[in-house]
């Protein structure tokens, strides 16, 4: 303990009363960074591999791992660390990433790696900032935690925020372009093309204006061409988009195929409803604008108006008071 006393005094003199605690935290962080690659790269036990080979086919299927084979072999080694263990959690994250436009097999791994890397990087940046600027002053535990743990939490939540904004932007784009796609599809169907050909043609025409919607229609066309069932293909499209208009459209097509009604008639009715709905959304946004502008008007118009109206009177009263004081 006598050996540690000079070190403790030096840390207190350099970084304040929290100097020893910061040093212990820094050493622990360095140890974690050093040991983490070793733990992730450890080789499998030969006995475990022998046991895995003796497992029956039924047990192997029941215990089948959640991950799929990927072309990225580097991430595949860390798959157990970068993917959730629960099937429900994995499916939810996977669906959200697909709705954001990230369809790669490694999307979930990249997402969790981004959370880990940004969280750790921002945490190190917070520690460095605190040591460089705040360590010499008097700071309590709450302030220290805010400066150090705050950036780490921000870095961890940043990928979630990015994915959420991507999903909202993509769904808004699909919603805005869907009525036009229905009109084009109706024209193609009435011209004599099949539904598969119409979807493929619409995907090509919408590429410049609505690329996200064009990607969805292109995927539907490829899956139909591959021989997949039309109802399941449309259901997958509805799940990938996550938009109510697309879900209703899929329901209309499924019912039309089930009951044998004309697809062109169903498209004509539903396309008219989508046009009316788009007009209603535009009118709703226009009606919300005066309410949103009220606060801005009060903030930027009323204070200058009060200054112009009341300012001269205040100045006159002030001058009269000064003259009375001189007398």
């Amino acid at each position: 303990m006598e050996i540690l006393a000079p070190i403790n005094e030096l840390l207190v003199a350099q970084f304040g009363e929290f100097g020893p605690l910061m040093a212990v935290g820094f050493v622990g962080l360095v140890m974690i960074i050093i040991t983490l690659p070793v733990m992730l790269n450890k080789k499998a036990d030969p006995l475990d591999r022998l046991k895995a080979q003796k497992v029956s086919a039924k047990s192997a299927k029941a215990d089948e791992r959640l991950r799929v084979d990927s072309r990225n072999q580097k991430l595949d080694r860390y798959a157990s660390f970068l993917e959730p263990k629960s099937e429900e959690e994995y499916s939810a994250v996977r669906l959200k990433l697909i709705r954001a436009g990230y369809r790669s097999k490694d999307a979930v791994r990249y997402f969790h790696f981004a959370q880990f890397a940004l969280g750790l990087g921002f945490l190190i940046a917070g520690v460095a900032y605190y040591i460089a600027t705040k360590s010499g002053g008097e700071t309590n535990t709450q302030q220290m935690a805010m400066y150090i743990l705050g950036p780490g939490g921000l870095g961890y939540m940043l990928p979630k925020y990015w994915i959420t904004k991507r999903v909202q932007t993509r769904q808004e784009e699909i919603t805005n372009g869907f009525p036009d796609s229905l009109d084009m599809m109706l024209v193609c169907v009435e011209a004599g093309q099949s539904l598969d050909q119409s979807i493929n043609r619409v995907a090509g025409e919408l590429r410049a204006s609505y690329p996200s919607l064009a990607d969805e229609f292109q995927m539907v066309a490829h899956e139909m061409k591959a021989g997949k069932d039309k109802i399941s293909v449309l259901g997958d499209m509805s799940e990938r988009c996550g938009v109510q208009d697309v879900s209703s459209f899929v329901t209309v097509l499924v019912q039309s195929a089930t009951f044998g009604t004309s697809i062109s008639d169903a498209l004509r009715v539903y396309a008219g409803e989508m046009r009316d709905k788009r007009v209603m959304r535009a009118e709703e946004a226009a009606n919300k604008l005066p309410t949103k502008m009220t606060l801005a008007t009060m903030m930027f118009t009323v204070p200058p108006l009060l200054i112009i109206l009341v300012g001269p009177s205040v100045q006159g009263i002030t001058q009269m008071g000064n003259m009375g004081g001189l007398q």
Side-chain angles (χ1 to χ4, degrees):
M1 299 299 294
E2 296 180 356
I3 300 176
L4 298 177
I7 300 176
N8 189 17
E9 294 177 358
L10 179 61
L11 291 174
V12 172
Q14 291 291 331
F15 304 109
E17 58 180 356
F18 293 103
L21 181 61
M22 293 169 55
V24 173
F26 181 75
V27 173
L29 183 62
V30 171
M31 295 297 296
I32 291 175
I33 295 175
I34 294 175
T35 57
L36 189 60
V38 178
M39 294 177 61
L40 293 177
N41 289 325
K42 65 179 182 178
K43 296 182 179 180
D45 191 353
L47 294 178
D48 294 337
R49 287 186 293 180
L50 290 175
K51 291 179 181 179
Q53 291 177 358
K54 294 181 180 180
V55 176
S56 61
K58 183 177 181 180
S59 300
K61 185 176 181 179
D63 297 334
E64 184 180 3
R65 64 179 185 173
L66 191 61
R67 300 169 297 278
V68 296
D69 292 335
S70 173
R71 294 171 294 181
N72 196 326
Q73 299 298 329
K74 294 181 179 179
L75 285 180
D76 190 63
R77 292 185 299 175
Y78 310 116
S80 58
F81 177 75
L82 295 176
E83 289 185 358
K85 304 298 182 181
S86 173
E87 183 178 357
E88 292 79 8
E89 184 180 356
Y90 179 86
S91 300
V93 175
R94 175 69 173 164
L95 179 59
K96 191 171 184 179
L97 291 174
I98 289 176
R99 289 179 177 178
Y102 301 107
R103 299 189 181 91
S104 173
K105 293 181 179 179
D106 294 325
V108 179
R109 301 176 187 177
Y110 282 125
F111 174 71
H112 287 284
F113 175 76
Q115 284 188 313
F116 172 76
L118 290 178
L120 186 60
F122 277 52
L123 181 63
I124 295 174
V127 173
Y129 175 78
Y130 181 81
I131 293 175
T133 60
K134 302 295 182 180
S135 59
E138 295 182 358
T139 56
N140 53 27
T141 307
Q142 183 178 1
Q143 292 177 345
M144 183 181 68
M146 181 183 66
Y147 283 113
I148 295 177
L149 299 180
L154 178 64
Y156 181 80
M157 296 300 297
L158 191 60
K160 289 186 177 181
Y161 174 77
W162 171 258
I163 294 299
T164 302
K165 294 297 291 183
R166 282 276 300 175
V167 171
Q168 293 176 356
T169 303
R170 196 167 182 271
Q171 289 180 346
E172 184 178 357
E173 179 183 341
I174 292 175
T175 302
N176 293 333
F178 197 65
D180 295 335
S181 67
L182 289 182
D183 291 336
M184 295 175 62
M185 192 178 301
L186 177 61
V187 172
C188 293
V189 170
E190 290 184 344
Q193 292 184 347
S194 64
L195 182 61
D196 304 355
Q197 296 173 342
S198 302
I199 291 176
N200 195 13
R201 180 63 181 270
V202 169
E205 295 293 335
L206 291 177
R207 179 67 59 184
S209 302
Y210 305 101
S212 298
L213 184 59
D215 291 338
E216 295 296 335
F217 279 127
Q218 193 71 45
M219 187 174 296
V220 169
H222 288 329
E223 290 180 350
M224 287 183 178
K225 188 180 297 184
K228 193 174 179 180
D229 184 51
K230 185 181 298 184
I231 296 177
S232 61
V233 169
L234 295 174
D236 293 341
M237 176 185 175
S238 173
E239 187 176 4
R240 288 194 308 268
C241 294
V243 179
Q244 182 62 38
D245 295 342
V246 179
S247 301
S248 302
F249 167 72
V250 170
T251 302
V252 169
L253 290 185
V254 170
Q255 290 179 351
S256 177
T258 303
F259 297 106
T261 57
S262 175
I263 295 179
S264 61
D265 294 340
L267 284 175
R268 185 180 300 105
V269 174
Y270 193 72
E273 292 180 358
M274 286 296 100
R275 286 193 297 270
D276 295 339
K277 194 173 182 179
R278 181 168 59 181
V279 173
M280 292 174 61
R281 282 198 297 265
E283 292 177 352
E284 182 182 359
N287 293 330
K288 287 181 180 179
L289 188 60
T291 305
K292 294 180 180 179
M293 290 296 294
T294 301
L295 182 60
T297 304
M298 295 293 292
M299 291 178 60
F300 297 105
T301 304
V302 175
L305 184 62
L306 291 177
I307 293 174
I308 294 172
L309 295 178
V310 182
S313 301
V314 174
Q315 185 180 6
I317 295 172
T318 305
Q319 291 178 354
M320 291 177 63
N322 292 334
M323 293 176 60
L326 292 176
Q327 293 177 356

